[in-house]
Amino acid sequence: MKMIKVTIWNEYKHELIDPKVSEMYPNGIHGQLAEFLQDEFEVTTATLAQAEHGLTESVLANTDVLLWWGHIAHDEVEDAIVSRVHERVLDGMGLIVLHSGHFSKIFKKLMGTSCDLKWREDEQPCRIWNVNPGHPITKGIGEYIDLEMEEMYGEHFDIPAPDELVLVSWYPGGEVFRSGCVYKRGNGKLFYFQPGHETYPSYYDKQVQKIIKNAVTFCAPTGNAYPSYGHFEKKEIKA
Amino acid sequence: MKMIKVTIWNEYKHELIDPKVSEMYPNGIHGQLAEFLQDEFEVTTATLAQAEHGLTESVLANTDVLLWWGHIAHDEVEDAIVSRVHERVLDGMGLIVLHSGHFSKIFKKLMGTSCDLKWREDEQPCRIWNVNPGHPITKGIGEYIDLEMEEMYGEHFDIPAPDELVLVSWYPGGEVFRSGCVYKRGNGKLFYFQPGHETYPSYYDKQVQKIIKNAVTFCAPTGNAYPSYGHFEKKEIKA
Amino acid sequence: MKMIKVTIWNEYKHELIDPKVSEMYPNGIHGQLAEFLQDEFEVTTATLAQAEHGLTESVLANTDVLLWWGHIAHDEVEDAIVSRVHERVLDGMGLIVLHSGHFSKIFKKLMGTSCDLKWREDEQPCRIWNVNPGHPITKGIGEYIDLEMEEMYGEHFDIPAPDELVLVSWYPGGEVFRSGCVYKRGNGKLFYFQPGHETYPSYYDKQVQKIIKNAVTFCAPTGNAYPSYGHFEKKEIKA
Amino acid sequence: MKMIKVTIWNEYKHELIDPKVSEMYPNGIHGQLAEFLQDEFEVTTATLAQAEHGLTESVLANTDVLLWWGHIAHDEVEDAIVSRVHERVLDGMGLIVLHSGHFSKIFKKLMGTSCDLKWREDEQPCRIWNVNPGHPITKGIGEYIDLEMEEMYGEHFDIPAPDELVLVSWYPGGEVFRSGCVYKRGNGKLFYFQPGHETYPSYYDKQVQKIIKNAVTFCAPTGNAYPSYGHFEKKEIKA
């Protein structure tokens, strides 16, 4: 029985206009993410062009963990949908923000910072170091993983200090990047993960897939109720 | 020479409509804050009713640390001004959010959470424990301070885990509260501090004043430039 | 199938000399801990008086999570055994330190601080607040739990800032305490949990039991190998 | 008036036996550290060969911030002196641990982990990134600094997650390292800083010097009393 319900959200624009991207990801980036997640999780997908971007109240109510990939159309995501996702995260839904999703409205809203960074597309490899070896997200990952090609994302990455720093990337041009970061916001757990440039094959990499699967399990809600807030009458303590 | 430039922002509504508040703070809450800060810092004040809420580009450019007190009119603060303050914080300006400012637009924007909490006005005392005794903000403060009367603010306080937890409050009704919290966002340092209900005399308390003065010094900018972001050419390393 | 192997270590001295303790815990504190853990986990116990304090190489090698209760005989624990436990924690074994175990050699060695605190035995109740509602350790726990009687432990608690602060306790005498604290050390996860005075019935409380069970699951090792250290030859990156 | 009293502790062994080191640091590593610190701080030095390693009760009582450089003789430092330094740190003295001091008894005692890491001496440069741009320790430092030559120290660095991560280093061989880490222990503040291989000129670098100076100011004690611990009578709250 697959216990965790995953919704994969993809902007799904590059794939429709850029042959290099549709060659790399013929079923869309969401399709490839679904491909390796569906063996272990109950997976659905949603895209920008759908009504309410595919993120209706009912879809979100049935989502344990939401994955988010966006890049060139962050501004087209309606604020009302962003607020809806935000409330679900505070309520306990997990959220995994991938690659260029660092600039999505939802990530910026949850971080409270610019989420800006340095970048360079130069078809170079990267090495991702595991700096938190006992963390559930790095289970089964060795000390580092190499990707044959990934976009350079470099510091300073304008995010709050992660609640747990899990991965740090090295790029041959001289840059480093906090590439795997855990946050808690309200009842919800978040994971930002750097790989996933639209013309590079990162989501076919077994180790990248393993990290994303681990992150889904880690970010799944505990089922705790969202705390009560507002006026609070004194509760007598038993003695 | 006073090196640090402080701007005190107050909503300044309670004082104009509620005699209990104007009796407690005849010069406004901002007036009383200014009263004890001006010996050590260069202090100006700003209020909601002023043009641009008194927070013009030039005022903010000349502010090292901004204090924020608001309560019943959070929604009247224009989003454009909130964004302006937000950018200045990321750029390095310090921000001290007081009491009911936990629900201000600027604090919620910087935190990314609901910032909600439990509360009760029952004219009871509170005890504020120093859980970070070597922190500059608690310099000269003993192990705890007692306030004869303060509004109860109780957990769960829906904030990100503080970068530094400094103070935890005890209330006689059975509640606890993370009442002194340090955050970094971009280049800026923030301090949230619980005391300051509008009808209680907390800002006349010497220990509360000491904590706020320490926080001003702590949150003052280092003068570092905001990092550069965006496309980044490889920089050769000297060898 | 019970997957997680738990070893419960108890000093087991109070129970043999103090009738009040043996009445409260007729099978020893370890016996009562085993009583509620054995339904879900594979449980063994070990005590100070056993050879190597019951913590032989082989016992530890077969332990996923170790619980530790000690009080009046911390100094009788041999340094060599403490070092052995320490190495297993760095290697990935989980460790749950209970109540007066705050002053155990192993906890002090892992924390690097004095681990001192304030205390008072006055047969008063306490309220333990959940300040991390989405955390796996508080799964199924509401917003707070009340214990009818628990020893007061008060701040300042001289520990490093927890990696995750989970619980904060309130005592009627005016004190607060960081009573549920998560740490990572090497590959291992640790949880310190305050309740458990030897003459009070805390380990019969269902909520306390739930928290300890959750903590066992949380602290269980991921199975990752301990990283390699020392001289490191350059590893070529595939490109 | 120089307000902060700095004691520089150096093992001082390499310089006496290795001509390459004595050429690089003719007055000892401590001599070169003193050279650039003495303009701003009141500086004294101490070495292993001195009585009580130069760290008598009176020297430590007169030290605000202690710097520590050691490498091949960690084991020759007496445990009693390590305990004395440890107590002073908990009491509020700042501690700056440099380079191979990661393996010193005092750092391991304060961290509670192995403090192990990967290393390689290959006369290659490194780039140190500022990942905490508003931090007082990086004041006046740009986005990164390049060192023409520094020993490679690589992850995993077996330390607790830093209270504040300030610097991350990049090495041309493919490694990254958390090279500037802030911790609080008791009342004391600590900074670990990676540069300083004994045959490389890092302590002549103006940016390295700037970081160490900033760290001295940052780690200086606040003057707060060490909290009281032990049995605690209920203190009535004023109301």
Side-chain angles (χ1 to χ4, degrees), chain B residues 179-193:
Chain B
S179 52
C181 298
V182 164
Y183 294 94
K184 290 187 187 159
R185 293 294 180 262
N187 273 18
K189 298 183 198 75
L190 282 73
F191 183 58
Y192 174 81
F193 186 39

Side-chain angles (χ1 to χ4, degrees), chain B residues 118 127 129 131 133 143 155-156 165 168-176 178, chain C residues 118 127 129 131 133 143 155-156 165 168-176 178:
Chain B
K118 293 181 173 64
R127 178 167 287 171
W129 284 92
V131 299
E143 301 201 27
E155 295 286 342
H156 178 246
L165 180 62
V168 175
S169 288
W170 176 97
Y171 300 92
E175 298 85 9
V176 298
R178 289 169 291 168
Chain C
K118 294 180 172 66
R127 177 167 286 171
W129 284 93
V131 299
E143 301 199 26
E155 297 284 342
H156 178 246
L165 179 62
V168 175
S169 288
W170 174 98
Y171 300 91
E175 298 85 10
V176 299
R178 287 169 293 169

Side-chain angles (χ1 to χ4, degrees), chain A residues 2-62:
Chain A
K2 295 168 192 168
M3 299 295 292
I4 299 175
K5 290 173 277 184
V6 174
T7 299
I8 300 167
W9 191 88
N10 181 17
E11 183 182 279
Y12 198 36
K13 288 222 151 185
H14 284 292
E15 297 92 328
L16 302 179
I17 55 179
D18 183 344
K20 276 198 298 185
V21 181
S22 55
E23 250 173 68
M24 182 59 76
Y25 293 112
N27 298 314
I29 288 171
H30 55 297
Q32 172 56 17
L33 292 167
E35 178 69 22
F36 68 81
L37 289 172
Q38 63 196 0
D39 288 343
E40 296 181 27
F41 309 107
E42 193 180 315
V43 174
T44 55
T45 64
T47 58
L48 179 67
Q50 292 176 307
E52 304 183 41
H53 311 321
L55 298 173
T56 60
E57 291 281 6
S58 125
V59 164
L60 287 178
N62 275 287

Side-chain angles (χ1 to χ4, degrees), chain B residues 25-121:
Chain B
Y25 294 112
N27 299 314
I29 287 171
H30 55 295
Q32 173 55 17
L33 292 167
E35 178 70 20
F36 67 81
L37 289 171
Q38 64 196 0
D39 288 343
E40 295 180 29
F41 309 107
E42 192 180 316
V43 175
T44 56
T45 65
T47 59
L48 181 67
Q50 293 176 306
E52 304 183 43
H53 311 322
L55 299 173
T56 60
E57 291 281 4
S58 127
V59 165
L60 287 178
N62 276 286
T63 300
D64 292 317
V65 181
L66 179 67
L67 274 71
W68 194 278
W69 198 101
H71 183 211
I72 49 173
H74 293 313
D75 286 346
E76 296 178 33
V77 179
E78 286 172 36
D79 289 344
I81 304 301
V82 174
S83 292
R84 185 186 287 167
V85 172
H86 185 247
E87 276 167 38
R88 270 291 291 146
V89 169
L90 298 185
D91 191 44
M93 183 181 72
L95 178 67
I96 298 174
V97 174
L98 294 168
H99 192 62
S100 44
H102 75 90
F103 249 178
S104 62
K105 287 183 178 178
I106 183 63
F107 190 60
K108 292 199 286 186
K109 188 177 178 74
L110 283 158
M111 295 294 102
T113 54
S114 74
C115 299
D116 214 339
L117 46 77
K118 293 181 173 64
W119 59 269
R120 186 175 61 246
E121 278 180 63

